Structures are given as C-alpha cells and as structure tokens.
Amino acid sequence: MPEISRRAFGGLVGGGAVTAVAATATPAAAAEPVEAAPAERPFKARRPGASGRRPNILVILGDDLGWADLSSYGAPHIRTPNLDRLARQGVRFTNAYSGSATCSPTRFSLYTGRYPGRTPGGLAEPIANRAQGLDPNHPTLASLLKKAGYATALIGKWHCGWLPDYSPTKSGWDEFFGNFGGVLEYFSKLGQLGTYDLYEGDAEYKDLRYYTTVLTERAVEYVSRDHDDTPWLLNLNFTTPHWPWLAEGDEETGAEIEAKIRAAKSQAEVSRALNHYAGGSVEKYAQMVESLDAAVGEVLDALRRSGQEQNTVVLFASDNGGERYSYNWPLSGEKFVLLEGGIRVPSILRWPARIDGRQVSDEPVFSPDWTATLLELGGARPDPAYPLDGASLAGYLLRGAELPERDLFWRVRANRALRRGDWKYYRDEKGTDHLYDLGADQREQADLAPDKPELLTELKASWERIASGLLPYPG
C-alpha cells in the first residue's frame, strides 16, 4: 500500500464517513434510494496525452456556502446529489480556501488572481457603496481569456462595484445578467442600496420570480448555445444560500422583507431587513442549499446535452465560509474571520477529457490559484504589469508535477493568517498570535505558539513581508 500524507488519509476517511452519513441523514432521506459512493483515491494525474482543443470554462460559485454544507463534505442533513456526482466525476479538494473571509474581496482575488489588498476596491470588506469597485483597467480572468479568443459571460452576483463606473462588461465580460450588489431579496430583487438590482448588461431587467430559478434559466441558455467552436468562459455566481432565508415558495416572507426595505429611511435599515436576523432555520437553510444543488444539476445536464461536457472545465466553490445555519464541522469560525470555518470552502474540479474522476486532493490551494490555473488551461498569458499571487495547478493536474512550495496568505482588518504546509499562523481580533498544526488539529484548538516560538516568529515574518507590499486600509 503506497504511503499517503496525514492530510490525504484524512480526506479519504472523510469521504468514507460521508458515504455512511448520507445514507442515514434523516428519515425522509432514508426512505429514498441512496447511490453508493465509490471510494475516492488520492489524486494522480492521468498520463499526459494530446492537449486537444482549449476547454470551455464554467466557474460556479455558491454564496456563503460552508465547507461541510454538501453531503459529499459531511453534511448529515443536506442532500446534494448533483454536486456529489460532480465530485465523483472529478477531483474533490479537502484543503481549498477562498481568497478572503467575505464576498467581494474573494471575488477580487478570483477575478484578478491577486490578493484583494493589491487594489483599492479589494480593501472593502465587503463593498457597500457606489464609490468602491474593481478598476476597469485592471486585467481580469475574463479580459485575459477574451484577449486569447474566448467568449465571456457573467451570470449572477458581481459584487465588485455599481454602475456607472463599475460593471462586468467594463472588466472583460462580453455579457452580464445578474445583480451588482452583495445581497438582494430573492423575489422583488431589491438590493443592499434599497433599489432594484437585476440587470441585463447595464439595463434593468424585470423578473420577480425566485432568483435562483432565473439565474439557472439564463445559465442553461448560455451553455446550450451554438458557440461556433469558440471556447467560452462562464462565471455563474449564485446568491444561494446567502440570507435572506428564502426558498422557492416563500413569497409571503419575501414580501415582508420587501416592505421593510421600501419603508427604510437609511441604508442601515435596508441592511437590517436583508440580514433577516428574525428568520431562517437549519431546515430552511438546508432547503436553500438543496435548491442550489438542483440548479447546478440543471446547468450540468444542459452542458451534457449540448455535447460540450467532455471538454469543459467545471470549477465549483464558495466565495467564503458559512455562517449562522451553516454546517462547518469540524472547523471553528465562520464568515468574516480567518479561522478555518471562515475561509476553507468546498471545491470541486471536473474536466473529463483530461482528468480522471473519483479522486480527492488534500493539497492546500486558494482562489488566486484557480485564476492562474484557468488562464494556463485557456492558453492566456497574465499581464506582466500585474503579476499573479496565485500558482497555476495545471502542471499538478495534468502532468503530476509537484506544486510549488509557497505560503497561503490572508489579511482582513481584524485578523491575519498564513498557511505553510500543515502549519497555520493566526492572529485574532484581540491581537493575540496563535500557531496550529492543521494536519493534527483542523479545529484549531491546540495552540502550539508557546511550544514553537521560532516557527511562530518565522511564519509571522513571512506574513509581514507579504503584507508590506499591499495597500494599507484607509482610516
């Protein structure tokens, strides 16, 4: 039996535990036939072959979806058969991270391949007014792939600035259909500025149906098109399962939230209405996650029917960790903080033409790595004036190359964190430094800082070297 790392072993054990949990989740689930999940094996690249045509690229983001909110990641009470199937057909990553602990900074890191603190708009945690946004002159995943011959589209949540100064169509996407802000009421489409927030391009688009349904229909239409042999990039950004806690059929509750937004005298009152602190439940949250899973299933079915499935790279992830009703066990922390629960996210990659399925990778990766990877797979070159902070995984995925040794870095106003191998340096909101061995302690409860002061000093110095090259926070 080949030797595997502690992280790989943990991933395999986790996968086996998931199979048992999914079969006994709830009485309702137990009444349904459960597809036995084949055993995962540690990732191994397929033998190199002819590269063939450049792939289409479909990047799907859930919103505030926690690391263990999928049944394939351990949720005992949530059924996600479509995303579980996607994982079986590709690679499930057990140590994948978002670029930050909140929505818009992570989107900056994914769109640019750089730390959020490289640009002024990335300093907002998250973006909350019209003065902040992604500079249209900054190269993006979309603009670089477009330059290389790709058609590009973004459907769903943008959250990198509002009109008139900021828009996906100003930053490299040929088409945009979705919302500019970070949150909206799922039926009325009233968003965080208190105004209507569903657009096609730069024009309002009226549709008062459940938002996840609307986005799914658009995405199905896009992947079903005859693209005339032009490779394409589609960023499909759902708002599900972000609050307010509304599922299909919850129009009455949605109308109550809409009334509060319309009666609001300030943006703070709008935010309180959308935060929906008096609503939601574990059951409602599970319903929302399952609706996300069903939506992804519809899009993947359309992709298969179109004949493009084999040569389409599908990446599924979340923009940050979960909160409130999310299932994050065994991780500590949630959205907004740099503990594992705030930044470790479910991440699945599938490319049938080049990568085998039923695999699990325990390699630590984060959002900017995906940018570098997708650019390389699409034959696009980064702009040398804007060097990437991510490392391409293409060599690892396609040729079995070792990933480059590097530190994963995060900075938010209240926290700092850096991961090197299994070691994680973390500073909490009180300014106290901690050191964790994630290979032995995913829950971050055994603080080894007093026992390993030299290592703590070394990781802290590495964090400060990287931070010294970023923009300071204003104010």
Side-chain angles (χ1 to χ4, degrees):
M1 180 177 178
E3 292 185 0
I4 58 177
S5 70
R6 282 185 295 171
R7 290 200 305 272
F9 180 75
L12 291 172
V13 172
V18 167
T19 304
V21 165
T24 59
T26 63
E32 301 174 5
V34 177
E35 183 178 351
E40 292 175 323
R41 59 181 175 85
F43 176 78
K44 183 178 180 181
R46 188 184 295 177
R47 288 183 179 180
S51 59
R53 294 182 295 111
R54 291 181 296 166
N56 305 313
I57 299 170
L58 171 58
V59 181
I60 307 174
L61 283 186
D63 198 353
D64 289 5
L65 182 73
W67 181 73
D69 276 335
L70 307 182
S71 46
S72 51
Y73 278 81
H77 62 297
I78 304 176
R79 297 293 299 271
T80 52
N82 296 292
L83 287 164
D84 299 344
R85 185 179 306 113
L86 184 70
R88 290 196 300 273
Q89 294 169 342
V91 185
R92 186 174 67 90
F93 288 80
T94 63
N95 282 278
Y97 294 88
S98 56
S100 188
T102 50
C103 302
S104 54
T106 290
R107 292 164 201 272
F108 270 74
S109 71
L110 179 62
Y111 298 156
T112 68
R114 311 176 80 211
Y115 300 129
R118 297 284 186 201
T119 61
L123 299 176
E125 296 172 349
I127 285 177
N129 61 62
R130 293 185 185 276
Q132 305 163 324
L134 176 57
D135 182 352
N137 295 312
H138 196 295
T140 64
L141 174 66
S143 68
L144 294 169
L145 285 171
K146 182 176 180 179
K147 187 177 179 180
Y150 274 69
T152 58
L154 191 150
I155 295 174
K157 176 174 170 175
W158 162 241
H159 205 187
C160 285
W162 278 272
L163 293 170
D165 296 323
Y166 309 105
S167 170
T169 57
K170 298 178 185 292
S171 290
W173 283 270
D174 299 318
E175 302 177 34
F176 169 59
F177 178 84
N179 59 303
F180 284 100
V183 58
L184 47 62
E185 192 276 302
Y186 282 79
F187 298 98
S188 69
K189 311 302 185 295
L190 295 182
Q192 68 188 104
L193 299 184
T195 56
Y196 189 81
D197 193 13
L198 176 56
Y199 284 76
E200 184 169 35
D202 293 347
E204 285 189 6
Y205 185 94
K206 291 295 181 182
D207 193 327
L208 302 182
R209 295 176 298 154
Y210 187 62
Y211 193 36
T212 305
T213 301
V214 176
L215 295 181
T216 303
E217 288 181 359
R218 276 300 176 115
V220 166
E221 186 277 326
Y222 188 86
V223 303
S224 301
R225 288 184 199 171
D226 180 359
H227 290 273
D228 197 27
D229 292 328
T230 299
W232 47 263
L233 163 72
L234 172 59
N235 288 92
L236 175 55
N237 300 343
F238 288 101
T239 56
T240 318
H242 194 293
W243 39 263
W245 313 112
L246 300 169
E248 187 80 69
D250 287 337
E251 288 90 347
E252 184 176 341
T253 305
E256 294 173 0
I257 296 171
E258 176 188 357
K260 292 178 181 178
I261 295 172
R262 294 191 183 281
K265 298 293 192 292
S266 66
Q267 188 173 335
E269 291 183 6
V270 171
S271 296
R272 281 197 292 274
L274 287 168
N275 272 309
H276 203 189
Y277 285 117
S281 65
V282 171
E283 293 75 19
K284 181 59 62 179
Y285 182 78
Q287 190 177 351
M288 294 179 75
V289 175
E290 289 176 358
S291 76
L292 170 65
D293 178 77
V296 172
E298 288 189 44
V299 176
L300 296 180
D301 285 347
L303 182 66
R304 176 180 47 78
R305 291 193 302 268
S306 74
Q308 302 173 92
E309 180 180 72
Q310 285 294 309
N311 200 40
T312 298
V313 174
V314 178
L315 170 64
F316 176 85
S318 178
D319 61 345
N320 48 249
E323 63 154 327
R324 276 190 256 182
Y325 300 113
S326 185
Y327 182 79
N328 264 353
W329 181 261
L331 309 182
S332 294
E334 59 181 18
K335 178 182 177 180
F336 298 116
V337 301
L338 297 178
L339 289 167
E340 292 292 284
I343 52 176
R344 199 190 295 198
V345 294
S347 298
I348 300 166
L349 185 80
R350 185 189 76 179
W351 186 12
R354 301 294 304 278
I355 298 172
D356 293 333
R358 301 179 184 177
Q359 300 195 86
V360 60
S361 173
D362 63 295
E363 294 291 344
V365 299
F366 72 151
S367 299
D369 294 338
W370 297 122
T371 316
T373 303
L374 297 176
L375 289 174
E376 182 171 348
L377 297 181
R381 295 179 178 274
D383 188 323
Y386 299 86
L388 302 181
D389 292 312
S392 174
L393 310 180
Y396 168 71
L397 293 168
L398 302 182
R399 299 180 293 277
E402 293 290 327
L403 286 180
E405 293 186 6
R406 74 289 174 44
D407 296 334
L408 301 188
F409 167 94
W410 297 270
R411 182 189 74 164
V412 300
R413 281 183 179 269
N415 295 165
R416 57 167 66 176
L418 181 138
R419 176 166 179 170
R420 177 182 297 172
D422 280 339
W423 292 104
K424 180 176 176 182
Y425 161 58
Y426 171 70
R427 174 176 288 183
D428 63 26
E429 67 281 358
K430 297 178 181 178
T432 303
D433 290 332
H434 306 270
L435 181 66
Y436 300 110
D437 177 0
L438 297 178
D441 175 31
Q442 292 187 85
R443 193 156 172 76
E444 296 171 293
Q445 298 299 304
D447 185 5
L448 301 178
D451 299 329
K452 295 185 176 292
E454 297 86 0
L455 179 57
L456 177 65
T457 299
E458 183 181 342
L459 297 184
K460 179 179 176 180
S462 179
W463 187 95
E464 290 175 344
R465 279 195 301 272
I466 297 172
S468 67
L470 305 184
L471 298 174
Y473 286 109

